[in-house]
């Protein structure tokens, strides 16, 4: 029963989050988790141990919420992730320089320090590498990371 409840709650949650019921992604996720947990309760309430079912649903809700906040919500809000996406769209396999990244980040900030911090963060992560000529390029890890982000984005309907 444990796995059945967890999978049902997760599948219902993914279905509901893809309906785009609310405009604010974070609140939509919480709302959809509450609804999916309630629907699970209705599906399995005839089980012999109601307290056990409630404990399973609370645990399932907590795990889904933790994952949702750590990954999909963070992906949706992350400037670094959006910067990587834009770099990939704009430059793909080509090299790029600091000023080009600064231009990409203009929708977020005009601060050189802010942009340099994001670039440094991505270099430490291994997503961006600096070439001998001082230009940057997206690494294979960066491309793989973006593919993972896109997979999570498509499952959780992140726009």
């Amino acid at each position: 029963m444990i796995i059945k409840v967890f999978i049902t709650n997760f599948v219902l949650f993914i279905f509901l989050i893809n309906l785009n019921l609310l405009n604010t992604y974070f609140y939509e996720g919480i709302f959809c988790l509450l609804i999916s947990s309630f629907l699970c309760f209705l599906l399995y309430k005839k089980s012999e141990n109601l307290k056990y079912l409630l404990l399973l649903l609370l645990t399932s809700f907590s795990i889904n919420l933790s994952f949702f906040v750590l990954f999909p919500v963070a992906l949706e809000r992350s400037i670094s992730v959006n910067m990587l996406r834009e770099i990939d769209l704009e430059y793909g396999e080509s090299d790029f320089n600091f000023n080009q990244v600064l231009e990409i980040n203009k929708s977020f900030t005009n601060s050189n320090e802010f942009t340099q911090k994001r670039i440094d963060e991505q270099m430490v992560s291994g997503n961006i590498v600096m070439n001998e000529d001082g230009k940057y390029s997206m690494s294979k890890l960066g491309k793989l990371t973006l593919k993972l982000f896109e997979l999570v984005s498509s499952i959780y309907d992140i726009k």
Side-chain angles (χ1 to χ4, degrees):
M1 176 157 174
I2 294 172
I3 297 199
K4 193 167 32 170
V5 169
F6 275 81
I7 290 174
T8 304
N9 200 4
F10 176 74
V11 169
L12 285 170
F13 171 60
I14 295 300
F15 173 76
L16 291 169
I17 198 89
N18 279 277
L19 293 177
N20 298 312
L21 301 172
L22 301 174
N23 289 334
T24 306
Y25 190 68
F26 176 73
Y27 296 119
E28 178 183 22
I30 293 173
F31 178 70
C32 290
L33 272 172
L34 288 170
I35 292 174
S36 67
S37 296
F38 179 71
L39 291 173
C40 270
F41 174 76
L42 293 178
L43 285 171
Y44 298 111
K45 71 180 180 181
K46 294 185 183 193
S47 70
E48 61 279 351
N49 193 340
L50 200 55
K51 286 181 185 178
Y52 183 66
L53 174 62
L54 291 173
L55 183 62
L56 280 176
L57 286 172
L58 180 62
T59 304
S60 177
F61 178 90
S62 299
I63 290 170
N64 275 315
L65 180 63
S66 297
F67 186 85
F68 176 70
V69 169
L70 284 173
F71 295 103
V73 170
L75 284 176
E76 187 221 10
R77 296 179 178 197
S78 173
I79 291 172
S80 295
V81 170
N82 287 312
M83 181 184 77
L84 282 176
R85 284 183 182 141
E86 292 299 318
I87 288 170
D88 189 50
L89 284 172
E90 187 75 24
Y91 302 105
E93 302 294 324
S94 304
D95 293 343
F96 50 92
N97 62 37
F98 176 81
N99 288 330
Q100 291 167 312
V101 178
L102 189 59
E103 189 63 35
I104 285 172
N105 280 347
K106 277 203 174 169
S107 61
F108 308 113
T109 184
N110 287 326
S111 167
N112 288 0
E113 295 82 25
F114 180 87
T115 298
Q116 188 61 57
K117 189 175 184 178
R118 300 285 86 73
I119 290 172
D120 292 344
E121 172 186 276
Q122 294 309 311
M123 287 178 65
V124 169
S125 299
N127 295 323
I128 292 176
V129 295
M130 184 183 282
N131 303 327
E132 300 84 33
D133 60 359
K135 290 190 172 192
Y136 304 101
S137 62
M138 187 79 72
S139 70
K140 288 181 182 181
L141 178 62
K143 294 278 190 185
L144 181 63
T145 301
L146 279 175
K147 286 181 182 178
L148 179 64
F149 292 161
E150 293 305 318
L151 175 65
V152 172
S153 294
S154 68
I155 292 170
Y156 284 89
D157 195 34
I158 300 170
K159 296 189 174 22

